[in-house]
PDB file of all heavy atoms in Angstrom:
ATOM      1  N   THR A1158     -80.050 248.275  67.601  1.00  0.00           N
ATOM      2  CA  THR A1158     -81.399 248.411  67.062  1.00  0.00           C
ATOM      3  C   THR A1158     -81.786 249.865  66.831  1.00  0.00           C
ATOM      4  O   THR A1158     -81.367 250.771  67.574  1.00  0.00           O
ATOM      5  CB  THR A1158     -82.433 247.749  67.983  1.00  0.00           C
ATOM      6  OG1 THR A1158     -82.273 248.258  69.310  1.00  0.00           O
ATOM      7  CG2 THR A1158     -82.273 246.244  67.979  1.00  0.00           C
ATOM      8  N   GLN A1159     -82.620 250.036  65.792  1.00  0.00           N
ATOM      9  CA  GLN A1159     -83.092 251.359  65.402  1.00  0.00           C
ATOM     10  C   GLN A1159     -84.619 251.326  65.343  1.00  0.00           C
ATOM     11  O   GLN A1159     -85.212 250.252  65.165  1.00  0.00           O
ATOM     12  CB  GLN A1159     -82.500 251.734  64.041  1.00  0.00           C
ATOM     13  CG  GLN A1159     -80.979 251.742  64.033  1.00  0.00           C
ATOM     14  CD  GLN A1159     -80.377 251.835  62.643  1.00  0.00           C
ATOM     15  OE1 GLN A1159     -81.091 251.930  61.642  1.00  0.00           O
ATOM     16  NE2 GLN A1159     -79.052 251.778  62.566  1.00  0.00           N
ATOM     17  N   PRO A1160     -85.281 252.468  65.445  1.00  0.00           N
ATOM     18  CA  PRO A1160     -86.749 252.474  65.393  1.00  0.00           C
ATOM     19  C   PRO A1160     -87.309 251.780  64.158  1.00  0.00           C
ATOM     20  O   PRO A1160     -88.358 251.129  64.234  1.00  0.00           O
ATOM     21  CB  PRO A1160     -87.088 253.965  65.415  1.00  0.00           C
ATOM     22  CG  PRO A1160     -85.956 254.585  66.162  1.00  0.00           C
ATOM     23  CD  PRO A1160     -84.736 253.805  65.769  1.00  0.00           C
ATOM     24  N   GLU A1161     -86.620 251.873  63.043  1.00  0.00           N
ATOM     25  CA  GLU A1161     -87.130 251.247  61.815  1.00  0.00           C
ATOM     26  C   GLU A1161     -87.024 249.723  61.833  1.00  0.00           C
ATOM     27  O   GLU A1161     -87.528 249.049  60.921  1.00  0.00           O
ATOM     28  CB  GLU A1161     -86.418 251.804  60.583  1.00  0.00           C
ATOM     29  CG  GLU A1161     -84.914 251.755  60.635  1.00  0.00           C
ATOM     30  CD  GLU A1161     -84.307 253.067  61.124  1.00  0.00           C
ATOM     31  OE1 GLU A1161     -84.899 253.717  62.024  1.00  0.00           O
ATOM     32  OE2 GLU A1161     -83.226 253.429  60.627  1.00  0.00           O
ATOM     33  N   ASP A1162     -86.389 249.181  62.863  1.00  0.00           N
ATOM     34  CA  ASP A1162     -86.370 247.722  63.023  1.00  0.00           C
ATOM     35  C   ASP A1162     -87.685 247.219  63.622  1.00  0.00           C
ATOM     36  O   ASP A1162     -87.934 246.005  63.638  1.00  0.00           O
ATOM     37  CB  ASP A1162     -85.210 247.290  63.938  1.00  0.00           C
ATOM     38  CG  ASP A1162     -83.839 247.559  63.335  1.00  0.00           C
ATOM     39  OD1 ASP A1162     -83.709 247.542  62.092  1.00  0.00           O
ATOM     40  OD2 ASP A1162     -82.890 247.813  64.118  1.00  0.00           O
ATOM     41  N   SER A1163     -88.514 248.120  64.121  1.00  0.00           N
ATOM     42  CA  SER A1163     -89.795 247.726  64.702  1.00  0.00           C
ATOM     43  C   SER A1163     -90.674 247.094  63.635  1.00  0.00           C
ATOM     44  O   SER A1163     -90.936 247.694  62.579  1.00  0.00           O
ATOM     45  CB  SER A1163     -90.509 248.946  65.311  1.00  0.00           C
ATOM     46  OG  SER A1163     -89.768 249.467  66.384  1.00  0.00           O
ATOM     47  N   ALA A1164     -91.104 245.865  63.878  1.00  0.00           N
ATOM     48  CA  ALA A1164     -91.893 245.090  62.904  1.00  0.00           C
ATOM     49  C   ALA A1164     -92.190 243.742  63.546  1.00  0.00           C
ATOM     50  O   ALA A1164     -91.816 243.482  64.690  1.00  0.00           O
ATOM     51  CB  ALA A1164     -91.125 244.895  61.605  1.00  0.00           C
ATOM     52  N   VAL A1165     -92.865 242.881  62.773  1.00  0.00           N
ATOM     53  CA  VAL A1165     -93.043 241.492  63.196  1.00  0.00           C
ATOM     54  C   VAL A1165     -92.033 240.640  62.429  1.00  0.00           C
ATOM     55  O   VAL A1165     -91.894 240.768  61.215  1.00  0.00           O
ATOM     56  CB  VAL A1165     -94.473 240.999  62.933  1.00  0.00           C
ATOM     57  CG1 VAL A1165     -94.613 239.538  63.358  1.00  0.00           C
ATOM     58  CG2 VAL A1165     -95.485 241.857  63.668  1.00  0.00           C
ATOM     59  N   TYR A1166     -91.322 239.801  63.154  1.00  0.00           N
ATOM     60  CA  TYR A1166     -90.313 238.941  62.564  1.00  0.00           C
ATOM     61  C   TYR A1166     -90.773 237.488  62.638  1.00  0.00           C
ATOM     62  O   TYR A1166     -91.251 237.023  63.670  1.00  0.00           O
ATOM     63  CB  TYR A1166     -88.980 239.103  63.302  1.00  0.00           C
ATOM     64  CG  TYR A1166     -88.356 240.460  63.076  1.00  0.00           C
ATOM     65  CD1 TYR A1166     -88.783 241.569  63.802  1.00  0.00           C
ATOM     66  CD2 TYR A1166     -87.354 240.638  62.119  1.00  0.00           C
ATOM     67  CE1 TYR A1166     -88.236 242.819  63.578  1.00  0.00           C
ATOM     68  CE2 TYR A1166     -86.802 241.892  61.893  1.00  0.00           C
ATOM     69  CZ  TYR A1166     -87.250 242.967  62.620  1.00  0.00           C
ATOM     70  OH  TYR A1166     -86.700 244.214  62.393  1.00  0.00           O
ATOM     71  N   PHE A1167     -90.605 236.782  61.516  1.00  0.00           N
ATOM     72  CA  PHE A1167     -90.969 235.372  61.452  1.00  0.00           C
ATOM     73  C   PHE A1167     -89.745 234.540  61.101  1.00  0.00           C
ATOM     74  O   PHE A1167     -89.008 234.863  60.158  1.00  0.00           O
ATOM     75  CB  PHE A1167     -92.021 235.116  60.365  1.00  0.00           C
ATOM     76  CG  PHE A1167     -93.372 235.683  60.664  1.00  0.00           C
ATOM     77  CD1 PHE A1167     -93.757 236.911  60.160  1.00  0.00           C
ATOM     78  CD2 PHE A1167     -94.273 234.983  61.463  1.00  0.00           C
ATOM     79  CE1 PHE A1167     -95.009 237.448  60.422  1.00  0.00           C
ATOM     80  CE2 PHE A1167     -95.526 235.504  61.737  1.00  0.00           C
ATOM     81  CZ  PHE A1167     -95.896 236.740  61.222  1.00  0.00           C
ATOM     82  N   CYS A1168     -89.548 233.460  61.847  1.00  0.00           N
ATOM     83  CA  CYS A1168     -88.571 232.477  61.421  1.00  0.00           C
ATOM     84  C   CYS A1168     -89.297 231.401  60.622  1.00  0.00           C
ATOM     85  O   CYS A1168     -90.533 231.270  60.714  1.00  0.00           O
ATOM     86  CB  CYS A1168     -87.859 231.855  62.618  1.00  0.00           C
ATOM     87  SG  CYS A1168     -88.938 230.948  63.755  1.00  0.00           S
ATOM     88  N   ALA A1169     -88.563 230.648  59.837  1.00  0.00           N
ATOM     89  CA  ALA A1169     -89.164 229.573  59.062  1.00  0.00           C
ATOM     90  C   ALA A1169     -88.131 228.493  58.817  1.00  0.00           C
ATOM     91  O   ALA A1169     -86.924 228.739  58.863  1.00  0.00           O
ATOM     92  CB  ALA A1169     -89.709 230.096  57.734  1.00  0.00           C
ATOM     93  N   SER A1170     -88.633 227.293  58.583  1.00  0.00           N
ATOM     94  CA  SER A1170     -87.761 226.212  58.133  1.00  0.00           C
ATOM     95  C   SER A1170     -88.338 225.645  56.855  1.00  0.00           C
ATOM     96  O   SER A1170     -89.564 225.581  56.698  1.00  0.00           O
ATOM     97  CB  SER A1170     -87.640 225.119  59.204  1.00  0.00           C
ATOM     98  OG  SER A1170     -88.867 224.424  59.345  1.00  0.00           O
ATOM     99  N   PHE A1171     -87.448 225.286  55.942  1.00  0.00           N
ATOM    100  CA  PHE A1171     -87.895 224.629  54.717  1.00  0.00           C
ATOM    101  C   PHE A1171     -87.819 223.141  54.976  1.00  0.00           C
ATOM    102  O   PHE A1171     -86.733 222.592  55.180  1.00  0.00           O
ATOM    103  CB  PHE A1171     -87.036 225.018  53.528  1.00  0.00           C
ATOM    104  CG  PHE A1171     -87.596 224.508  52.235  1.00  0.00           C
ATOM    105  CD1 PHE A1171     -88.640 225.154  51.622  1.00  0.00           C
ATOM    106  CD2 PHE A1171     -87.085 223.364  51.646  1.00  0.00           C
ATOM    107  CE1 PHE A1171     -89.175 224.685  50.432  1.00  0.00           C
ATOM    108  CE2 PHE A1171     -87.605 222.877  50.459  1.00  0.00           C
ATOM    109  CZ  PHE A1171     -88.653 223.541  49.859  1.00  0.00           C
TER     110      PHE A1171
END
Side-chain angles (χ1 to χ4, degrees):
Chain A
T1158 53
Q1159 301 168 2
E1161 53 265 37
D1162 294 331
S1163 296
V1165 179
Y1166 291 81
F1167 291 96
C1168 62
S1170 69
F1171 188 79

